[in-house]
């Protein structure tokens, strides 16, 4: 496995490769969710590549950029074992050299939910993902459904800018109590980690309600919100039932809906979601 920190080295490696390349962009501190994306990339393509870059432009002022968990040597060992062809570990000064000024705005899909709570976040994501795609030139790129709005943003970006690659969204990987795997789970203490399974329980309840015929979105939102009353120190940022493509909030649940939520557990902000079908 090659580890490249220079953009030129990645370009040279890609130019010398024949066949399809599956790409998994990450910010490191890898967990089973990332590794499941790598396995899928390897299964669907001739080779797989991963980037590890904590992208400063997607962190809003006051967020956890400085303390975001890092474990580069462990990550590289996991990726070597997974059979990745190369890992791209750029430096911020190479991705954003002096004079860098472009940013990508994908429009309304980035406005609600995470976009409302973290203004500018998706512009940072869209810009860095565009740069990574231009550098790595993958055939397919793999993202986790856990970041549902990020998936919607990247689909919009790839469609609108005619990027020549397929975006593949893979299922969320969860621990035994249902908590969605996330690098930020490292911030939770044991008690918080245990109680954070309430996010998944609330999503399951929404799914059950819809399965039993509930079509009023506000009834389902209210039921979910009420479940958080039993954890008064959890701060619910949003509970949303929205169209899965546009992310516009729904009054009635017909066909498919994206149920998503963001909750502050202690100092850690967790997100999760589930697609429900009538
Ligand atoms: O999901 C992430 O880890 C990041 O948002 C991504 C896609 C690697 C862009 O920095």
């Amino acid at each position: 496995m090659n580890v490249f920190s220079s953009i030129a080295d990645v370009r040279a490696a890609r130019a010398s490769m024949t066949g399809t390349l599956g790409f998994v962009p990450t910010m490191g501190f890898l967990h089973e969710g990332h590794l499941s994306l790598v396995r899928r990339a390897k299964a669907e393509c001739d080779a797989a590549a991963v980037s590890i870059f904590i992208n400063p432009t997607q962190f809003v002022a006051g967020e956890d950029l400085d303390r975001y968990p890092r474990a580069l040597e462990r990550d590289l060992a996991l990726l070597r074992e997974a059979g990745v062809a190369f890992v791209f570990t750029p430096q911020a000064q190479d991705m954003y050299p002096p004079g860098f000024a472009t940013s990508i705005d994908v429009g309304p899909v980035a406005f609600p939910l995470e976009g409302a709570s973290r203004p500018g976040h998706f512009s940072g994501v869209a810009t860095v993902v565009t740069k990574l795609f231009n550098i790595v030139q993958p055939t397919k790129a793999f993202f986790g459904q856990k970041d549902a709005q990020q998936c919607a943003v990247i689909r919009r970006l790839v469609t609108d800018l005619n990027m020549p690659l397929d975006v593949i969204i893979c299922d969320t990987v969860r621990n035994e109590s249902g908590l969605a795997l996330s690098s930020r789970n490292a911030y939770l203490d044991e008690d918080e980690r245990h109680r954070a399974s309430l996010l998944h329980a609330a999503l399951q309840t929404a799914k059950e309600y819809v399965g039993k015929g509930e079509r009023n979105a506000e009834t389902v939102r209210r039921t979910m919100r009420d479940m958080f009353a039993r954890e008064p120190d959890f701060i619910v940022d949003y509970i949303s039932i929205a169209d899965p493509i546009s992310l516009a909030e729904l009054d009635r649940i017909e066909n498919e809906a994206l149920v998503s939520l963001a909750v502050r557990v202690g100092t850690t902000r967790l997100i999760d979601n589930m697609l429900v079908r009538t």
Side-chain angles (χ1 to χ4, degrees):
M1 182 181 82
N2 288 304
V3 181
F4 301 124
S5 58
S6 110
I7 294 170
D9 287 348
V10 175
R11 286 198 188 286
R14 182 64 180 117
S16 71
M17 288 171 95
T18 53
T20 56
L21 180 65
F23 177 46
V24 181
T26 82
M27 299 207 298
F29 208 69
L30 303 181
H31 51 66
E32 187 49 36
H34 297 112
L35 297 177
S36 72
L37 302 181
V38 171
R39 283 195 291 275
R40 180 93 180 259
K42 280 200 66 187
E44 292 196 17
C45 298
D46 296 320
V50 173
S51 62
I52 298 177
F53 178 57
I54 301 176
N55 173 39
T57 65
Q58 69 187 76
F59 287 78
V60 174
E63 286 190 340
D64 55 345
L65 173 60
D66 293 337
R67 68 180 187 118
Y68 194 85
R70 293 158 166 84
L72 184 59
E73 287 314 314
R74 200 203 61 173
D75 289 349
L76 294 177
L78 288 170
L79 295 175
R80 197 169 288 117
E81 198 181 316
V84 165
F86 72 81
V87 183
F88 179 37
T89 59
Q91 296 298 308
Q93 65 265 26
D94 295 326
M95 292 296 272
Y96 301 111
F100 184 91
T102 303
S103 71
I104 297 184
D105 172 358
V106 296
V109 74
F111 296 165
L113 309 176
E114 292 303 289
S117 297
R118 308 177 67 191
H121 168 69
F122 286 120
S123 172
V125 170
T127 306
V128 81
V129 166
T130 301
K131 286 175 69 72
L132 291 168
F133 286 172
N134 282 336
I135 295 164
V136 175
Q137 298 186 23
T139 318
K140 297 185 181 189
F142 296 81
F143 295 88
Q145 169 67 25
K146 198 212 116 215
D147 297 302
Q149 191 172 11
Q150 171 168 280
C151 294
V153 162
I154 290 166
R155 279 191 196 282
R156 186 78 270 148
L157 172 76
V158 166
T159 302
D160 289 356
L161 299 187
N162 308 96
M163 294 182 176
L165 67 132
D166 293 330
V167 174
I168 313 290
I169 309 301
C170 304
D171 289 346
T172 301
V173 179
R174 301 177 180 282
N175 75 7
E176 58 292 340
S177 63
L179 178 65
L181 298 193
S182 162
S183 304
R184 288 189 168 100
N185 291 354
Y187 301 146
L188 299 170
D189 65 28
E190 212 176 306
D191 174 57
E192 289 171 336
R193 187 183 300 259
H194 176 69
R195 293 187 297 135
S197 61
L198 182 56
L199 275 77
H200 183 238
L203 293 169
Q204 286 284 21
T205 299
K207 189 177 180 181
E208 277 160 33
Y209 267 57
V210 174
K212 285 184 188 147
E214 182 59 66
R215 296 290 173 265
N216 185 318
E218 192 46 32
T219 304
V220 180
R221 284 186 204 99
R222 196 177 334 109
T223 304
M224 293 173 71
R225 223 175 280 125
D226 288 349
M227 289 178 74
F228 284 91
R230 73 166 111 117
E231 296 288 0
D233 59 326
F234 285 17
I235 311 290
V236 176
D237 186 350
Y238 61 77
I239 289 177
S240 158
I241 301 183
D243 177 273
I245 307 291
S246 70
L247 302 186
E249 288 299 314
L250 297 174
D251 293 329
R252 287 198 54 79
I253 305 170
E254 312 284 3
N255 306 318
E256 201 177 39
L258 177 72
V259 184
S260 65
L261 75 178
V263 178
R264 202 168 285 280
V265 175
T267 57
T268 311
R269 189 171 176 282
L270 298 177
I271 60 171
D272 202 352
N273 70 85
M274 197 175 272
L275 283 166
V276 297
R277 284 180 193 85
T278 56

